[in-house]
Amino acid sequence: MKQDPRFPNLFITDHPLIQHKLSHMREHDTSTRTFRELLKEITLLMGYEITRDLPLTTREIKTPLVTIDAPVIAGKKLAIVPILRAGIGMSDGLLNLVPSARVGHIGVYRDPTTHMPVEYLVRLPDLSERTFILCDPMVATGNSAVYAVDVLKKRGVTDEQIIFLALVAAPEGVTVFQNAHPKVKMYCASLDSHLDDHAYIVPGLGDAGDRIFGTK
Ligand code: URA
């Protein structure tokens, strides 16, 4: 896991497999099917890294031979919350890893003029004692990411219960995010160079939602 001195709560998963798959995703002529599969595979690999610190407890189980106190994840389990619509491409990968996780949805779109998030849907599982993994592949301006964390925090979820999982982030967006939510950990596979005049990430990979769903 790599860190950038500017962003104390940003963790960059620099595993070679993740970096290789991300490079393939960036290519302009990668098909929708391959793009989607690669995002799922990367999310699964990132999910493995970010769940490393989940607290364990023990439960008594019987093996065919003896009874033991076996390690199991402590307390209430995970909730995965994709930010619609591109986040859906990541929640599939996470669900492969934690099939019993609850799934919420936060629907926001980016106003094309102001680039500010506009909410159109919030559906969440019960909130107590869960770890929430918010996911959105692209953290560009950071406004949707900040908004989604606000949605959880307004309902009483604490900073420590939230993990933000992205694929590619821009320094501008991470700055906005860390100013708003300095204690929330964010993970991404790449911290890219900058935003262009249309708030697209450079070098980036284009519009993640369009590339996942094959829309224009
Ligand atoms: N959203 C995307 O899908 N891509 C970008 O580059 C920026 C925001």
Side-chain angles (χ1 to χ4, degrees):
M1 202 86 73
K2 208 169 65 177
Q3 284 217 261
D4 181 302
R6 291 171 292 172
F7 305 120
N9 248 346
L10 177 71
F11 302 90
I12 305 163
T13 49
D14 58 350
H15 191 289
L17 278 175
I18 295 177
Q19 295 305 314
H20 177 86
K21 289 173 193 286
L22 174 59
S23 297
H24 196 13
M25 288 184 76
R26 290 187 193 272
E27 287 182 282
H28 72 101
D29 56 355
T30 296
S31 70
T32 298
R33 177 185 176 171
T34 304
F35 189 91
R36 202 182 280 153
E37 280 172 2
L38 288 168
L39 180 57
K40 205 161 151 182
E41 288 167 16
I42 290 180
T43 312
L44 195 142
L45 293 167
M46 291 181 80
Y48 179 74
E49 296 264 17
I50 69 175
T51 49
R52 188 176 287 281
D53 296 328
L54 281 185
L56 285 172
T57 180
T58 56
R59 183 164 62 79
E60 192 179 285
I61 62 159
K62 282 188 183 137
T63 79
L65 304 180
V66 287
T67 299
I68 56 165
D69 288 325
V72 292
I73 291 171
K76 282 215 180 173
K77 307 278 165 66
L78 288 175
I80 298 164
V81 184
I83 302 176
L84 302 179
R85 75 187 156 132
I88 295 274
M90 299 184 87
S91 51
D92 286 352
L94 289 172
L95 276 171
N96 279 350
L97 202 63
V98 197
S100 59
R102 297 289 188 271
V103 181
H105 293 93
I106 296 179
V108 287
Y109 66 86
R110 184 164 67 155
D111 184 287
T113 320
T114 63
H115 300 147
M116 292 307 285
V118 183
E119 175 185 320
Y120 62 91
L121 177 97
V122 174
R123 291 278 186 283
L124 297 168
D126 80 281
L127 301 170
S128 53
E129 291 174 49
R130 284 190 192 281
T131 297
F132 285 82
I133 304 180
L134 281 172
C135 48
D136 191 353
M138 310 301 275
V139 173
T141 61
N143 294 330
S144 306
V146 167
Y147 190 94
V149 173
D150 283 338
V151 165
L152 295 182
K153 283 170 70 170
K154 269 187 203 141
R155 289 162 171 78
V157 181
T158 62
D159 290 308
E160 293 72 24
Q161 284 174 270
I162 305 170
I163 298 171
F164 198 100
L165 183 61
L167 181 67
V168 177
E172 295 90 330
V174 180
T175 303
V176 166
F177 186 82
Q178 295 217 334
N179 286 341
H181 301 298
K183 291 194 191 138
V184 176
K185 286 188 177 145
M186 176 181 277
Y187 293 82
C188 68
S190 175
L191 180 62
D192 274 14
S193 167
H194 63 277
L195 293 183
D196 73 8
D197 294 342
H198 304 284
Y200 273 87
I201 300 176
V202 182
L205 44 73
D207 187 301
D210 281 346
R211 296 199 66 184
I212 293 165
F213 297 108
T215 50
K216 268 270 169 260

